[in-house]
Amino acid sequence: MDQQKEIEMSQLRESYDCPYTDQPITVDGHLDEAAWDKAEVLDFFIPVTFEKPISPTEARMLWDDDYLYVGFKAWDKDIWSYLTERDSSTCSEDVLEVFVKPDAERDPYYNFEINALNTVFDAYNVKRGAGGNDHHRWSRWDCQGLQSAVFVKGTMNNWEDEDEFWQLEVGIPFADLPTVAGAPNPEDIWLFHLSRYDWSVYLPEGNELSSCAPLTAVDFHRYEDWMPLRFCRDS
């Protein structure tokens, strides 16, 4: 392994301590509440190789008594999305994704895939592999209280100019996850990873996938490689 790869591997986190906030979070895509400063940054890497992506992404996470919050900042020279109907195949466009598995020993997990127009694909995956070739089997469930908002610094859907970045802020309500009985207790541990599809005329291959987790395969549903998420609360 060369020195650059060793440096990149050292930046991969083994787990994430998610801080509690008692300050209100307004889900508006701006990530400007002071509480976000308490949350450590998660950097994204390319699956398998763990190289730094051409299009960087940073994310942070928080929680309170009602929601798990995720904030993303995705640098992107070519920001685009067209799908507007809920549970469309948002991963075929610029998209940021949240995967959470509340019980490491049991199969159900959730994924939320939100494009740059703030169109939501959400799924309650009862059993991995049981959806057949219909990727929308589990997305017939909707997380009713989900909050999300996008802020774009650039021009949507114009590949002829260079954009700067887009931000996504998500609030996932604990009460609306079927396998979760209210808010977690401090020190509870879930599994999670955050990921991104970037489709861009500025990328050598036209697209780039990245994640905050050390994925050993190009498979965002491979929860064996996801990271522990520890819910922390100051005493």
Side-chain angles (χ1 to χ4, degrees), residues 180-200:
V180 175
N185 295 313
E187 304 304 318
D188 279 359
I189 295 177
W190 292 9
L191 295 180
F192 86 105
H193 91 111
L194 312 175
S195 53
R196 176 184 181 184
Y197 280 82
D198 183 26
W199 308 88
S200 173

Side-chain angles (χ1 to χ4, degrees), residues 6-163:
E6 289 178 355
I7 292 171
E8 290 161 357
M9 288 290 289
S10 71
Q11 293 174 328
L12 286 168
R13 290 177 176 271
E14 294 182 358
S15 62
Y16 188 76
D17 289 346
C18 185
Y20 178 87
T21 179
D22 57 6
Q23 301 299 313
I25 298 294
T26 300
V27 177
D28 57 9
H30 289 288
L31 309 175
D32 51 4
E33 290 89 357
W36 284 112
D37 294 333
K38 299 194 309 180
E40 294 188 12
V41 172
L42 285 157
D43 292 309
F44 281 41
F45 297 84
I46 303 298
V48 184
T49 68
F50 309 127
E51 296 172 345
K52 292 183 178 180
I54 297 171
S55 298
T57 310
E58 293 181 353
R60 301 171 189 260
M61 304 179 77
L62 297 167
W63 69 292
D64 63 17
D65 293 334
D66 299 307
Y67 291 90
L68 173 64
Y69 299 100
V70 187
F72 297 85
K73 184 173 183 178
W75 283 267
D76 195 335
K77 293 181 179 180
D78 179 20
I79 303 173
W80 69 278
S81 291
Y82 294 100
L83 297 171
T84 58
E85 184 177 351
R86 189 169 186 136
D87 293 327
S88 301
S89 296
T90 54
C91 65
S92 64
E93 303 181 335
D94 282 347
V95 71
L96 294 164
E97 305 182 340
V98 181
F99 289 76
V100 291
K101 192 170 187 290
D103 189 334
E105 303 300 323
R106 300 190 179 190
D107 204 52
Y109 63 94
Y110 305 87
N111 58 297
F112 304 86
E113 305 174 5
I114 302 173
N115 73 9
L117 287 176
N118 197 33
T119 301
V120 173
F121 174 98
D122 50 355
Y124 167 34
N125 300 276
V126 176
K127 177 70 175 178
R128 186 177 64 181
N133 293 321
D134 181 1
H135 300 297
H136 294 274
R137 180 182 186 187
W138 304 129
S139 69
R140 287 176 172 84
W141 166 82
D142 286 340
C143 187
Q144 296 295 334
L146 183 74
Q147 299 184 36
S148 65
V150 168
F151 170 75
V152 174
K153 182 67 171 177
T155 307
M156 282 285 297
N157 297 330
N158 181 6
W159 60 268
E160 295 180 308
D161 67 355
E162 289 193 19
D163 305 314

